[in-house]
Each structure stands twice: as structure tokens, then as C-alpha cells.
Amino acid sequence: MRVRISALLPVARGVVALDLRSADGRELPAWTPGAHVDVHLAAGLTRQYSLCGDPGDRSVWRIAVRRQDTGRGGSRHVHERLSVQDVIEVGEPRNHFPLQPAARYVFLAGGIGITPILPMLAAAAAPWELHYAGRDAASMPFLDRLAGDGRVTLYPEDERGRIDLDPLLGRQPPGTLVYCCGPEGMLRAAEESCARRPDVSLRVERFTPAPAAGPVPRDDFEVELAATGRTLAVPAGRSILEVVEDAGVSVLSSCREGTCGTCETTVLAGAVDHRDSLLTPAERAAGDTILLCVSRAAGPRLVLDL
């Protein structure tokens, strides 16, 4: 889809919010809290950004982008090259971080990780509390929308230090659902604390890949494409996605690092060595889906719904 930037506003130090409207004036596709979109910034430069506006307003989408001078160039492109009235291309909303029903919610956000959480706060149909951390108040986006709400606790690190998650999560009643989005340190701490509370559930969203669980196996394996019966060899050092693309099969993909879910494909047979940063433990255990860009076979052969 082609969208026009109708507003580009600073919302914290180093963070800008972009309002996007359909270039042809039509309503934008519906989305739900936790969704993100692929933003095509330039040839070969596609990035994923969480939608952080009002899902009920189909006339506009809002995303927010923190500048990362040591990143791969996407955020610098947004901050340096985009302007109001520019037209860019975006993908359909996808949601791998949906708000599920629960008796109680705890939301944990770190810095730009507040973006997928914001629309969840308005949509939550149960008591909730938000714990929002950042390096300092000036770097924390959308503080003006959260100030004064008694359910919100702010943790500027220069004033309060880091969140201690063990006592925070330890006092939650059984059945609490925890949503966490932020830097890797916060995500790991949430996973470790919730592991000590099996009666509390956790959902996380990563903007960057999780640390590898171990070295990538060097074994070759085969993938069969069920639609044609064609079998392809996947050597060590190459991804399934690369091999399938070289064979002329069109597969949607974006991040190529296991975080966005664009290349998720159904597995019809075979065991999967999951290497992504997206699927839940239950989804991995089911073994019926794979992210082609990073995951591999845990045996000699996979049959894919391609």
C-alpha cells in the first residue's frame, strides 16, 4: 500500500512519530493492539514498526521510530530523509503479539518498547498496571499520554535505577498475563522472573534477535516443497529461505533475522530446529510452523507447505 506522511512529530529525544494516511484517501486496513507493519523505506531497506495509535481510527496509522546511529540504516533514513507529504509503501498489519483475555495484566515497557503496549492499555478489559522504564525521562516516548495515571509507574534509570522484576511479579495474583517489550536485558529478566511463577503467563516481543541458544548445526538437510514435490538441498551456512528463493519460489520475507514472522511457513512433516525470536514455547513444541529465514531441520528432511 502507498501511504502519505501527514505528520512527523518529535515525541522524545531521538524519537519521532509518523502519522500515515492512505495516499488515495481510502480507509486503511483494520488492525489490533500489538500489530506491526513493514515499512519500505528504500530499495532493500524494509523495517518493522509497531502501530501505536488508535485501532478504531481507520483514517490514520501511527508509528514511532527511535534513531539508532549504530544500526543498519533504517532509523537514520526515517530521521534524515523523510518529510511530511512524502509517499512511502507499507505492508498489511501483522500481529504476533496480540492482546489475549486475562483476569489481570502487567505491562512492562522499555524505551521504544512502549509502542505496541500503548494501544493495549486502552483495549484491556481487565485491571492492569504499566511499568515503563528508560534511560531518562527525556528519552521515553509518549510520557504525556501516561502522566497522572495511577496505574502507571515510571522508571527513568537516572532517577530510580532499573526495575526489580522479582518483587513486582512475585506479588501478582495467579492468572496474571504479563506483556513485555523492550531491550534484551529487560526481556531476559522478565523471562527469568516469570519462570519462577508458573501461574503467571508471559508474552514478549523483540525488536532484535534473541541471543542464539547454541551454535547452528553444520549438517545439510533437504526440504520438499509439497505443491510440486520438488526436493531442495539446504547446505550448512545457507538458510531455507535463500535456497527456496534461488529455486525461483516466491516467499514473502522482510527482516531475515527471525523477528517479524513474514516468512512463517507451515510444516507438513519433519522436526524443526527453531532459531527464531518470535514463536512461543507452545508454538515451537507443536512443530507445525517454521520461520524460513533462520530456523532449520532437526533431522534429515522437512516437508513444507510451499
Side-chain angles (χ1 to χ4, degrees), residues 264-276:
E264 186 174 355
T265 299
T266 299
V267 177
L268 302 177
V272 180
D273 176 16
H274 292 288
R275 299 259 158 188
D276 64 90

Side-chain angles (χ1 to χ4, degrees), residues 23-189:
D24 60 11
R26 299 180 185 179
E27 280 193 334
L28 293 166
W31 60 281
T32 54
H36 69 271
V37 292
D38 290 344
V39 179
H40 305 282
L41 299 169
L45 191 63
T46 300
R47 297 291 182 267
Q48 297 75 44
Y49 297 111
S50 297
L51 292 167
C52 57
D54 177 5
D57 186 353
R58 300 270 303 271
S59 70
V60 62
W61 288 347
R62 171 168 282 196
I63 61 174
V65 181
R66 181 182 297 282
R67 180 176 180 129
Q68 298 283 356
D69 288 326
T70 59
R72 295 175 296 153
S75 67
R76 294 197 304 276
H77 184 99
V78 171
H79 280 254
E80 295 176 1
R81 300 192 181 184
L82 295 186
S83 302
V84 173
Q85 298 304 319
D86 282 353
V87 174
I88 57 177
E89 292 189 352
V90 298
E92 294 276 346
R94 298 195 308 277
N95 199 341
H96 293 279
F97 193 50
L99 183 66
Q100 303 287 355
R104 179 175 177 79
Y105 298 99
V106 172
F107 298 105
L108 306 173
I112 198 66
I114 191 65
T115 51
I117 300 294
L118 278 178
M120 293 184 180
L121 303 181
W128 59 264
E129 58 189 79
L130 166 65
H131 299 266
Y132 179 19
R135 291 183 179 178
D136 51 53
S139 69
M140 298 167 66
F142 303 113
L143 281 186
D144 57 329
R145 293 177 53 177
L146 301 168
D149 191 323
R151 298 169 293 182
V152 176
T153 305
L154 304 178
Y155 299 82
E157 188 175 340
D158 63 336
E159 299 176 21
R160 298 192 57 176
R162 297 186 178 182
I163 304 175
D164 187 352
L165 292 183
D166 275 346
L168 190 162
L169 297 177
R171 69 170 183 261
Q172 301 302 326
T176 297
L177 181 51
V178 181
Y179 280 83
C180 182
C181 185
E184 184 60 33
M186 172 181 276
L187 299 178
R188 286 200 308 270

